[in-house]
Amino acid sequence: GDAINVNGTNLPLARMYANATAAKFEGTAYAIPSGGNDIYWAVYPTTLAGAASGSTIPAHFTASNLTVNFPATQTYDASANALSGNTLMAGYASVPTGEEQIVFQMRNLGAVLKLHLATQAGVANTHASKLVFSTTNGALAGDFTVDNSVTPTITPAASAAKTFTLNLTDGTNNYIDISSGADIYVILPPMESKNLSMTILNTDNKCTIKNIASATMARNSIYTNTIDDVCFCCPDGFSVSASQRVVFAPGNLQWSATGGGTTATTHATADGLGGAGTWRFAEHQWDYVGDATAGNVYGVGGDLTVKCNNANIAQDYQGWIDLFGWGTSGYDNTANDQFAFRFQPWECVNTPDVDLTYNRFGYGPSKNMTDPNLVGTSANYDWGVYNAIYNPKTNTTDPAGTWRTPTYREVNFVLNYRTTCSGVRYAKAQVDGVNGLILVPDNWDVSIYPLNSTNAPDGTFNANVISYSDWNTILEAAGCVFLPAAGDRYVHQMRGVGAVGCYFSSTQASSSAARVLGVLNDNVLPNLQQGYSVNRSWGWPVRLVKEVH
């Protein structure tokens, strides 16, 4: 059933002879049209051939004359050790006189990546069903124009894709078994890239991500990579329990009474959505509003001399704030909970002794409520549950209920108890000059990027100094999360900017305190045994999560 595309027409073939490097086929060639050129051109296999601009070409066809297509999805048959088509070649031959045989001077246009895949010992599901390749600076699929000179070159079209999917079969099932290792041959366009990664999925749709060592590949060459530690962790995200996982929001939560206005901020840009009472995620994971020259401590009327000394942040402040009292989503539940009357995002009054038993400072659900945490009947106190939030990554507004605040046990599980492919869970770092904490996803592979002092509560921020480019193209692209040390607000004072950042959980600790994940210059908390909590009225950053189903 195989064929060669000759002068734009598929030519069915009967194989006469073949060995490891050569083959002869028999079939009827199509005549060159009258007045045409005396050159045949051919592309093999036909499934990878695109349309040519004409039926005839010059002796050395150029980019304007021939287009070939590397499909975005292919299938690899392990029983035949071959892709459907097995290779990608183009060539030309002179028109013979009489009935002489045509000998096409075929040349490989692609590079061959030979992968040896094997699972780690003890992996339950060893059936690999799919490989997904991606690159940040190259093309893996789509149309390529060909210059078939003595050394053929191919150039991707502007629409060429940076991803390529290879489905796997053992000839019977839609998977292959890699428990004892399996060799797979992949045809890729020639490329010069430092960031070729591969996601390996099993039949449970779980996966692991691996970098490909030979990231610069020339045509007509074979590159071998051995990956013998595949463990198939979660497809993406972070385990927050033995059976549940989440992804984190793309930045810290921010709020503006006027949608941004014109007031400059320290790290977060001030160009907002417009409109009153706008919620959004910060543009970058390391963005924070920061010190006292910004909105987190402006007093009523925007007067810096008033600040926040038992007076709330100005409701008409022209900018963004990102430090909030606990449960200040804007949800008014005073009809049912008289002690939860400080619920607006600008609240920062710290007057004590509102009610020592149930809610000392008036923030969040009282302890006499059925759900004293930001869940269940009290879920609307949660910023993400109650509000629609603009997402700069997708340029859309996520509906209320898309995101939520993680519980204390969940953030503790992420830091201390989850199982990851690499054993790494977190590391202190400095990203684009900002101190903070990196959380790596469950399927993190240490070959993606070297991190120092991992899982070390007493690590230092300068243990990992990461550039904007590396974060954007490598770590964030692989699913890493960065929590900046954004400081906190105590009444009218900003403290610990660049050194401390405690992120609220949805879990209360007492009538006056709530549990947090702490990012400190000398420690990372929490620890489930000792616990860590802060005053509900203090302003702390918020990083939301959403379920991955």
Side-chain angles (χ1 to χ4, degrees):
D2 212 347
I4 287 180
N5 186 304
V6 180
N7 280 34
T9 303
N10 286 355
L11 176 61
L13 301 170
R15 189 180 72 180
M16 300 171 61
Y17 165 83
N19 61 29
T21 60
K24 290 184 179 181
F25 295 88
E26 183 178 59
T28 301
Y30 293 87
I32 296 293
S34 176
N37 200 280
D38 63 350
I39 295 295
Y40 284 101
W41 61 263
V43 178
Y44 175 84
T46 58
T47 54
L48 299 184
S53 60
S55 60
T56 60
I57 55 174
H60 295 283
F61 53 78
T62 60
S64 62
N65 296 104
L66 183 66
T67 300
V68 296
N69 182 272
F70 284 80
T73 302
Q74 297 185 43
T75 299
Y76 181 83
D77 185 348
S79 65
N81 264 350
L83 275 173
S84 55
N86 193 35
T87 187
L88 174 61
M89 298 189 295
Y92 61 91
S94 298
V95 175
T97 60
E99 295 185 1
E100 295 177 13
Q101 291 182 328
I102 300 174
V103 179
F104 284 107
Q105 301 175 46
M106 306 295 286
R107 292 177 171 84
N108 285 319
L109 298 178
V112 180
L113 176 63
K114 179 183 178 181
L115 291 168
H116 179 82
L117 299 179
T119 54
Q120 286 181 352
V123 172
N125 185 337
T126 63
H127 293 160
S129 63
K130 185 184 299 183
L131 305 179
V132 180
F133 296 87
S134 62
T135 181
T136 58
N137 52 344
L140 300 180
D143 288 340
F144 288 74
T145 53
V146 181
D147 180 357
N148 195 39
S149 56
V150 175
T151 303
T153 60
I154 64 173
T155 304
S159 59
K162 297 180 182 293
T163 60
F164 159 61
T165 299
L166 184 63
N167 295 315
L168 303 173
T169 176
D170 62 8
T172 302
N173 305 295
N174 293 325
Y175 60 78
I176 62 173
D177 191 340
I178 61 172
S179 57
S180 301
D183 290 334
I184 299 170
Y185 297 86
V186 185
I187 309 299
L188 296 169
M191 70 180 67
E192 293 184 8
S193 170
K194 296 180 181 179
N195 302 313
L196 181 63
S197 65
M198 174 181 63
T199 302
I200 312 165
L201 292 92
N202 69 4
T203 53
D204 293 329
N205 206 35
K206 293 185 176 181
C207 73
T208 190
I209 297 175
K210 300 291 182 181
N211 274 356
I212 303 300
S214 297
T216 298
M217 301 181 187
R219 67 161 200 89
N220 202 36
S221 299
I222 298 177
Y223 298 88
T224 300
N225 274 257
T226 298
I227 298 173
D228 56 8
D229 58 350
V230 179
C231 69
F232 293 124
C233 295
C234 293
D236 54 15
F238 300 77
S239 296
V240 292
S241 70
S243 59
Q244 189 178 22
R245 69 183 191 278
V246 302
V247 292
F248 283 79
N252 283 1
L253 187 65
Q254 299 182 339
W255 179 86
S256 172
T258 59
T262 58
T263 302
T265 57
T266 302
H267 288 286
T269 58
D271 53 342
L273 297 175
T278 298
W279 293 91
R280 75 173 186 185
F281 297 125
E283 183 179 1
H284 305 106
Q285 294 209 42
W286 58 82
D287 286 345
Y288 59 81
V289 172
D291 62 22
T293 62
N296 285 318
V297 293
Y298 269 86
V300 173
D303 185 353
L304 272 174
T305 62
V306 177
K307 294 188 177 178
C308 195
N309 189 7
N310 286 332
N312 292 321
I313 295 171
Q315 299 174 33
D316 60 350
Y317 166 63
Q318 296 287 306
W320 296 93
I321 64 175
D322 65 354
L323 300 177
F324 307 102
W326 192 62
T328 54
S329 68
Y331 171 58
D332 183 354
N333 193 37
T334 51
N336 300 308
D337 187 358
Q338 61 178 317
F339 300 120
F341 60 87
R342 292 189 174 124
F343 52 83
Q344 296 291 4
W346 59 78
E347 306 266 14
C348 67
V349 174
N350 192 37
T351 303
D353 304 338
V354 171
D355 184 276
L356 292 176
T357 302
Y358 296 124
N359 196 340
R360 184 175 184 185
F361 299 107
Y363 290 82
S366 302
K367 289 197 69 177
N368 65 329
M369 298 298 291
T370 302
D371 292 302
N373 303 308
L374 312 186
V375 298
T377 58
S378 299
N380 280 339
Y381 288 97
D382 188 326
W383 300 268
V385 173
Y386 190 63
N387 297 289
I389 303 171
Y390 175 69
N391 188 335
K393 292 295 184 184
T394 59
N395 196 29
T396 59
T397 298
D398 297 330
T402 302
W403 300 89
R404 66 174 177 83
T405 306
T407 68
Y408 176 74
R409 287 184 178 271
E410 287 175 336
V411 295
N412 184 51
F413 192 87
V414 168
L415 282 179
N416 299 318
Y417 295 106
R418 64 189 169 115
T419 300
T420 67
C421 289
S422 62
V424 178
R425 297 183 297 277
Y426 66 86
K428 293 278 193 67
Q430 185 181 93
V431 176
D432 198 36
V434 178
N435 293 333
L437 182 73
I438 291 176
L439 303 177
V440 304
D442 292 357
N443 59 9
W444 176 256
D445 187 276
V446 293
S447 69
I448 295 174
Y449 194 92
L451 291 173
N452 304 312
S453 301
T454 58
N455 305 337
D458 57 351
T460 60
F461 294 125
N462 61 9
N464 298 284
V465 178
I466 299 170
S467 68
Y468 168 86
S469 176
D470 281 356
W471 173 262
N472 187 51
T473 61
I474 302 176
L475 286 96
E476 186 173 62
C480 290
V481 168
F482 183 68
L483 303 175
D488 73 278
R489 185 195 65 240
Y490 171 67
V491 191
H492 64 282
Q493 300 174 355
M494 282 296 300
R495 307 179 302 182
V497 176
V500 176
C502 290
Y503 286 75
F504 269 130
S505 75
S506 62
T507 307
Q508 61 86 28
S510 67
S511 67
S512 61
R515 301 288 188 187
V516 293
L517 180 158
V519 182
L520 289 82
N521 54 4
D522 60 351
N523 209 342
V524 175
L525 300 170
N527 178 283
L528 192 61
Q529 284 70 42
Q530 69 181 42
Y532 193 67
S533 60
V534 298
N535 192 313
R536 295 190 189 193
S537 67
W538 295 355
W540 294 102
V542 173
R543 183 65 68 91
L544 302 178
V545 300
K546 68 177 177 180
E547 306 291 332
V548 177
H549 298 286

